[in-house]
């Protein structure tokens, strides 16, 4: 679906850099929401877009665009007509790289092409419950 977001972004050259960037960015996004007195309205979102030799990684919260806290940028992820998705559940995110690799492998097995911005939707986090539940979504053609 279409998502309206308040976010921070970082450019990385290696996928291994994402983990060290995304956590601190989510902390800063959360602090900006707290300072503005804005409650989280929906699950948090990380999204990734390939741009040449780099990946633009974003840590975001869903929000009404008129209420984007100071220091964050407004962004919109358009709805996509078709995607493959998998849900990762567990006590930690240690399996997220393998889950992404499995999803990309499934895209290839089905003869599809990965396109556009891929998403991680954080349905549950240890901060709200006892475990992680994350939907990984890859738009395809």
């Amino acid at each position: 679906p279409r998502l309206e977001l308040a976010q921070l972004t970082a450019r990385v050259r290696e996928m291994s850099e994402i983990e060290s960037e995304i956590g601190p960015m989510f902390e800063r996004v959360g602090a900006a929401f707290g300072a503005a007195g804005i409650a989280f309205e929906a699950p948090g979102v990380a999204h990734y877009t390939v741009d040449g030799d780099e990946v633009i990684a974003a840590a975001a919260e869903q929000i009404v665009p008129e209420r984007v806290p100071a220091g964050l940028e407004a962004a919109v992820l358009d709805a996509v007509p078709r995607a493959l998705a998998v849900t990762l559940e567990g006590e930690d995110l240690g399996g997220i790289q393998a889950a992404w690799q499995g999803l990309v492998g499934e895209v290839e097995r089905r003869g599809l092409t990965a396109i556009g911005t891929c998403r991680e939707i954080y349905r549950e986090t240890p901060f709200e419950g006892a475990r992680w539940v994350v939907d990984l979504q890859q738009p395809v053609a």
Side-chain angles (χ1 to χ4, degrees):
R2 174 184 166 99
L3 300 177
E4 295 177 337
L5 307 169
Q7 68 181 21
L8 290 173
T9 61
R11 288 182 170 271
V12 297
R13 286 197 157 280
E14 302 290 331
M15 295 303 286
S16 60
E17 297 173 48
I18 290 175
E19 186 176 342
S20 65
E21 293 287 339
I22 206 78
M25 285 193 307
F26 267 115
E27 289 175 12
R28 292 182 11 231
V29 168
F33 269 68
I38 301 173
F40 299 124
E41 298 177 11
V45 177
H47 61 92
Y48 310 99
T49 306
V50 175
D51 185 24
D53 291 341
E54 298 179 318
V55 172
I56 301 169
E61 292 291 341
Q62 297 179 58
I63 193 164
V64 175
E66 302 82 45
R67 299 185 62 208
V68 173
L72 302 181
E73 60 188 61
V76 173
L77 292 181
D78 290 326
V80 294
R82 190 172 182 203
L84 287 185
V86 66
T87 300
L88 176 67
E89 298 183 37
E91 293 183 18
D92 61 40
L93 292 177
I96 200 162
Q97 186 174 21
W100 271 117
Q101 289 171 344
L103 184 58
V104 169
E106 186 62 25
V107 168
E108 293 170 0
R109 276 189 291 286
R110 293 185 186 199
L112 301 169
T113 302
I115 59 170
T117 300
C118 60
R119 309 172 183 193
E120 295 173 357
I121 310 296
Y122 298 93
R123 302 268 179 226
E124 291 181 33
T125 68
F127 316 110
E128 302 153 348
R131 64 191 180 130
W132 291 94
V133 178
V134 183
D135 293 340
L136 310 181
Q137 303 172 351
Q138 175 60 64
V140 295

